[in-house]
Amino acid sequence: MMKKNILFLCTGNSARSQLAEALMRHMASDQYQVMSAGMKPEDVDPRVYQVLAERGVCADNLQSLSAIDIHDQHFDVVITLCDKASNECALFADSDALIHWDFKDPKPMEGVEGFRDTFDGLQTRIALFLMLNGENQHNVVGPVELFKIMSDPLRLRILMLIEDEQALTVGDLTKILDVSQPKVSRHLALLRDGGVLQDQREGLWIFYRLAEQLPVWIRHTLATVRNGNPGMINQEKLKLTQIKDRKKPGFSLKTHSQIGA
C-alpha cells in the first residue's frame, strides 16, 4: 500500500510539531510518511528530546524545516498546531485534507511539564485520527449524508435503538416506536440502501443491524450520540422489554462479535 504523506505545521517547528512528528511515526508505523515544518523555524527545544526519551519514543532525524522550502511538495494531510500556522494553509492548497489542532505553545513555560501535557494531548488526537482513518475505512456514507440521515427524529431513534440492541426487526420497531409498518420499512430501506444498515433473514423474520463495512468514524459518531444522550430512547427501551414474542437473531449479543460487527 502506498504511504500517505502527512505534514505537521507550526510557527517555529521547535516544540509542538516536533513532538507530533515523532509521535505519529511511533504510533502509525509504516502507514504514513511524516514530516514537520515551521513558518519561522527555530532550533528544536531540548525539552522535546527529554519528553520523547521519557515516553520511549524515537527522536531520530528530528530537524527544523521551513514550510517555504517544501511548499511545492504534495501532502495528503496537513495538520496545523497553532493559529498562525493555520492561516498559512494556502501554501499547501492541493492537500487532500487540511486539519487544525490548536495546542498552547509549551516553550514559554518553565520546566518540562508543559511539554508533557502537549505530548499527552497530541497522543490522544493522533490515536483518534489513526482509528478513524485506518486502511479499511470505506466512504460508504459521507458526513453530509450521515447528518441528513440523523436529522430526521424517527430515523435517529431507529439508529439509536439498533446501535443499542444490535439487531431489530420491522415488527419490533413498529411496536416500540408506535408508527406504521410502511413508515418504518421506508426508513429502514433508506438506511440499508445508503449503506448504514444491512438486513439478514432468520427464519420468518428479517433483522436489521449496522452494516459490517460501516466506517469506524460513523460507528464512533453513533456511539457518541447514544452515550451522550442516554435518555433519548428510554420509553422505547421499556416497550421493548414488554415484547414477549421477540425473536432473537443468530447474531445476538452472544454471537454478534463472531460475524465481524
Side-chain angles (χ1 to χ4, degrees):
M1 185 187 70
M2 184 177 296
K3 292 183 180 181
K4 291 186 176 181
N5 293 319
I6 186 166
L7 173 68
F8 288 102
L9 191 62
C10 205
T11 302
N13 191 214
S14 58
R16 290 163 286 188
S17 52
Q18 297 287 351
L19 288 170
E21 177 183 347
L23 254 175
M24 178 63 85
R25 286 177 179 167
H26 178 75
M27 296 172 68
S29 187
D30 295 331
Q31 188 175 349
Y32 290 97
Q33 183 72 38
V34 189
M35 294 180 63
S36 67
M39 304 312 301
K40 298 179 180 179
E42 304 170 359
D43 292 336
V44 180
D45 192 293
R47 290 171 289 183
V48 167
Y49 296 106
Q50 180 179 342
V51 171
L52 292 176
E54 289 176 357
R55 305 301 177 89
V57 175
C58 179
D60 292 350
N61 302 318
L62 291 183
Q63 57 180 319
S64 190
L65 298 174
S66 170
I68 302 297
D69 293 340
I70 59 172
H71 77 280
D72 57 346
Q73 294 188 37
H74 173 77
F75 292 94
D76 298 286
V77 182
V78 174
I79 300 178
T80 56
L81 299 172
C82 63
D83 289 334
K84 289 182 180 179
S86 180
N87 295 332
E88 303 296 338
C89 277
L91 281 174
F92 304 97
D94 69 335
S95 298
D96 298 335
L98 301 172
I99 304 173
H100 180 55
W101 297 346
D102 190 23
F103 281 86
K104 186 176 181 180
D105 187 1
K107 288 182 65 177
M109 306 177 196
E110 292 186 6
V112 76
E113 197 59 38
F115 284 76
R116 294 187 180 116
D117 291 342
T118 300
F119 180 100
D120 292 340
L122 285 167
Q123 188 174 43
T124 299
R125 289 288 189 97
I126 290 172
L128 181 61
F129 176 88
L130 292 174
M131 181 185 77
L132 299 180
N133 293 276
E135 295 180 18
N136 298 317
Q137 300 311 300
H138 306 291
N139 291 321
V140 179
V141 181
V144 174
E145 291 76 18
L146 177 65
F147 285 104
K148 282 183 179 179
I149 287 171
M150 295 175 66
S151 68
D152 181 275
L154 179 57
R155 282 199 298 269
L156 180 58
R157 286 192 292 161
I158 289 173
L159 282 174
M160 293 298 95
L161 284 162
I162 291 176
E163 196 280 335
D164 199 85
E165 291 294 320
Q166 299 190 7
L168 291 169
T169 67
V170 174
D172 292 334
L173 291 164
T174 297
K175 292 175 184 177
I176 61 183
L177 292 168
D178 197 24
V179 293
S180 68
Q181 185 270 332
K183 190 170 186 177
V184 170
S185 294
R186 284 197 301 272
H187 284 293
L188 287 172
L190 184 150
L191 292 167
R192 181 196 59 208
D193 295 345
V196 179
L197 299 181
Q198 68 182 54
D199 55 20
Q200 180 173 327
R201 181 176 290 278
E202 293 285 333
L204 298 176
W205 292 274
I206 296 177
F207 289 87
Y208 289 83
R209 63 183 181 90
L210 296 180
E212 290 183 7
Q213 297 302 317
L214 200 62
V216 172
W217 72 266
I218 294 182
R219 290 182 179 273
H220 186 77
T221 299
L222 296 177
T224 299
V225 172
R226 174 71 185 113
N227 290 306
N229 299 270
M232 179 185 294
I233 52 174
N234 276 1
Q235 294 305 310
E236 290 82 357
K237 294 280 290 181
L238 291 172
K239 288 181 181 179
L240 188 57
T241 63
Q242 298 168 4
I243 300 176
K244 304 299 183 181
D245 59 347
R246 178 170 179 256
K247 305 295 184 181
K248 296 281 187 179
F251 43 82
S252 62
L253 287 175
K254 292 183 179 179
T255 60
H256 187 62
S257 61
Q258 298 175 4
I259 60 173

